[in-house]
């Protein structure tokens, strides 16, 4: 079985073809970073237009590098949400058109499910596993019990971790995208110079909160002599921010491992996914969780942690295998929680 996947929910236009045996036949990705940089963040309208301009070319490239014609596919998958709705509409319409013209099944994939199932593609791991999903829009711990079967153990009550990285970068003048810039600057920094909070650390449950950490970075910057934020200050603040994020993640994952074990006794596999999972420092810190012999950490290659279409094709394949596909009148969803039963986090804005 071969499925074409299309991802357009944020600021990457991507298309990929994946085989049912887990071979990635092609994986094309076009970043819109240069389009958004002048604005210091993603502008939804700019993103939607750029997707519209680029999506056909990216799909062609993915088909060409896979060496396949549309008639050799078994299905077409696109991110159906959650995400910036203009972009999602572009991907969904493109996939529906290809499906209609070539008589193929259409699959609307939950973007978060794409991230959640990536470890099956890259590492072939079995269900159930524990997932830490940390991206620009989401910060959640989930028990992944099977395809389409997710139990949320905790989420953020305010900012996602990637959002906190991006806002910290902006405050320090590091530009957009923020995560990789903070990681780079932190390498030369002293994490102990500034005392930053560890929100939620030690609290019961698996919830997150990052707005206090972000505010504390801002107050620290404001407390420095005006106009004197030098490279050392920036490096130390980035290192301090990352160290705080690392402490929080370890504490929250420890709680989640205990909660997961209560339902699924035995060894635990913890998978990290989402754009923030591309951070080498945090990957290293999370390795600490494997101090217990029966906890294994699985971190997909960085290129498959950040947004990509191979994960969408792979998630689509899992549904197709189960005889599931979606009607051509599927309506794109700006909000689409992985665990619809989970209550909305107290204090949460529009997090899925
Ligand atoms: O999963 P993703 O590509 O898109 C969403 O679905 O949100 O995640 C993007 C987020 C951004 O906030 C970006 O700053 C963050 O992931 N990110 C990182 C790193 N690379 C990307 N955060 C920290 N360190 C990184 N190296
Ligand atoms: Zn994502």
């Amino acid at each position: 079985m071969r499925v074409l996947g299309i991802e357009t929910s944020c600021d990457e236009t991507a298309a990929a073809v994946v085989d049912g045996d887990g071979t990635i036949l092609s994986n094309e990705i076009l970043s819109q970073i240069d389009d958004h940089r002048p604005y210091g963040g993603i502008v939804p309208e700019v993103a939607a237009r750029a997707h519209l301009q680029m999506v056909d070319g990216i799909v062609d490239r993915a088909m060409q590098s896979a060496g396949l014609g549309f008639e050799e596919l078994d299905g077409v998958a696109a991110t159906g949400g959650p995400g910036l709705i203009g972009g999602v509409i572009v991907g969904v319409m493109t996939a529906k058109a290809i499906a209609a013209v070539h008589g193929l099944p259409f699959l609307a994939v939950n973007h978060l499910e794409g991230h959640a199932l990536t470890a099956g593609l890259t590492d072939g791991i079995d269900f159930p596993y524990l997932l830490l999903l940390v991206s620009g829009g989401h910060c959640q711990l989930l028990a992944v019990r099977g395809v389409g079967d997710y139990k949320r153990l905790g989420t953020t009550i305010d900012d996602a971790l990637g959002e906190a990285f991006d806002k910290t970068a902006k405050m320090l003048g590091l530009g957009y995208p923020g995560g990789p810039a903070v990681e780079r600057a932190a390498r030369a920094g002293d994490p102990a110079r500034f005392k930053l909070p560890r929100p939620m650390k030690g609290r019961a449950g698996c919830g997150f909160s990052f707005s206090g950490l972000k505010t504390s970075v801002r107050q620290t910057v404001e407390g420095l002599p005006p106009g004197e934020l030098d490279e050392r200050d920036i490096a130390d603040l980035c290192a301090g921010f990352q160290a705080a994020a690392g402490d929080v993640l370890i504490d929250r994952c420890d709680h989640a491992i205990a909660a997961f074990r209560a339902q699924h006794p035995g060894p635990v596999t913890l998978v990290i996914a989402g754009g923030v999972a591309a951070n080498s420092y945090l990957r290293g810190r999370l390795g600490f969780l494997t101090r217990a012999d029966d906890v294994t950490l699985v971190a997909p290659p960085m290129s498959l942690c950040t947004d990509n279409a191979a994960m969408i094709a792979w998630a689509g394949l899992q549904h197709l295998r189960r005889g599931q596909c979606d009607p051509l009148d599927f309506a794109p969803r700006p909000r689409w929680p992985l665990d619809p039963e989970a209550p909305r986090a107290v204090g949460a804005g529009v997090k899925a």
Side-chain angles (χ1 to χ4, degrees), residues 41 58 116 129 140 147 153 195 202 210 243 264 275 297 312 352:
I58 283 287
Y129 52 87
Q140 309 186 358
V147 174
L153 304 175
K195 298 276 163 279
F210 289 106
H264 309 279
L297 183 69
I312 302 304

Side-chain angles (χ1 to χ4, degrees), residues 155-173:
T155 187
T156 179
I157 57 165
D158 42 57
D159 290 352
L161 183 51
E163 204 176 346
F165 263 97
D166 292 336
K167 288 176 179 167
T168 295
K170 206 168 179 176
M171 282 186 269
L172 299 175

Side-chain angles (χ1 to χ4, degrees), residues 256-306:
I257 288 167
F260 182 85
R261 263 195 223 286
Q263 297 298 318
H264 309 279
V268 178
T269 303
L270 170 66
V271 174
I272 55 174
V276 182
N279 184 294
S280 311
Y281 167 83
L282 292 177
R283 282 173 178 251
R285 291 289 310 276
L286 287 166
F288 177 71
L289 293 162
T290 59
R291 67 193 184 285
D293 289 342
D294 57 352
V295 176
T296 313
L297 183 69
V298 172
M302 305 211 188
S303 61
L304 294 173
C305 280
T306 47

Side-chain angles (χ1 to χ4, degrees), residues 232-268:
R232 169 117 318 272
D233 298 328
I234 293 174
D236 292 346
L237 267 165
C238 288
F241 171 86
Q242 270 195 169
D247 285 351
V248 168
L249 290 185
I250 288 170
D251 177 77
R252 304 287 78 198
C253 286
D254 262 333
H255 281 233
I257 288 167
F260 182 85
R261 263 195 223 286
Q263 297 298 318
H264 309 279
V268 178

Side-chain angles (χ1 to χ4, degrees), residues 111 115 135 307 311:
H111 178 87
H115 282 301
S135 70
D307 288 350
M311 69 178 190

Side-chain angles (χ1 to χ4, degrees), residues 1-3 5 15-27 109 113-127 129 131 144 147 150 271-273 298-318 321:
M1 263 194 194
R2 292 170 186 138
V3 166
V17 181
V18 176
D19 192 289
D21 69 3
T23 310
I24 299 176
L25 300 172
S26 65
N27 193 13
V109 169
E113 184 171 49
H115 282 301
L117 299 180
T118 298
L121 170 65
T122 57
D123 294 78
I125 66 162
D126 292 326
F127 304 114
Y129 52 87
L131 175 74
V144 179
V147 174
Y150 310 96
V271 174
I272 55 174
V298 172
M302 305 211 188
S303 61
L304 294 173
C305 280
T306 47
D307 288 350
N308 66 88
M311 69 178 190
I312 302 304
W314 178 250
L317 266 162
Q318 306 316 307
R321 261 194 196 140

